[in-house]
Amino acid sequence: MKAQRLPRADGDVPYRFTSGRRVKEITVTGAQQRQLARGEAGIVNVEGRYDVVPAAALEAIRALDPKAVVVLNTPASAEADADDPYADHPVPDDLTW
């Protein structure tokens, strides 16, 4: 697991997510924020520490401990819903709250 985590020492972008019923925040780099939004990376919680790992490693981690994977966004489907009233108003990937 330690070999798979991405370094966040240079991170200055706050990334908020829910873990259980609580909102957590870690700092990530801008590139990692984009990877998280696109589902190319995810967040795991191992022994109380939150780490960003590539999506390819998440399946192996999930096989060992299903509860360890906290965040894994799925890419938006290319096929839009015809009845979606908000189709003309996409949510930006870099939205922070």
Side-chain angles (χ1 to χ4, degrees), residues 21-60:
R21 294 179 25 175
R22 297 186 181 261
V23 176
K24 300 290 186 176
E25 178 180 301
I26 60 174
T27 54
V28 296
T29 64
Q32 290 171 347
Q33 180 190 31
R34 290 185 292 279
Q35 289 174 330
L36 287 164
R38 291 189 302 254
E40 297 169 0
I43 298 175
V44 296
N45 181 0
V46 177
E47 297 176 358
R49 176 187 165 105
Y50 293 98
D51 288 308
V52 179
V53 296
L58 288 175
E59 289 307 316

Side-chain angles (χ1 to χ4, degrees), residues 15-16 33-38 73-74 76 86-97:
Y15 188 84
R16 294 173 189 90
Q33 180 190 31
R34 290 185 292 279
Q35 289 174 330
L36 287 164
R38 291 189 302 254
N73 295 318
T74 55
Y86 299 104
D88 295 332
H89 308 284
V91 177
D93 287 343
D94 62 347
L95 180 68
T96 57
W97 44 277

Side-chain angles (χ1 to χ4, degrees), residues 68-81:
V69 178
V70 179
V71 174
L72 178 57
N73 295 318
T74 55
S77 123
E79 192 175 307
D81 183 6

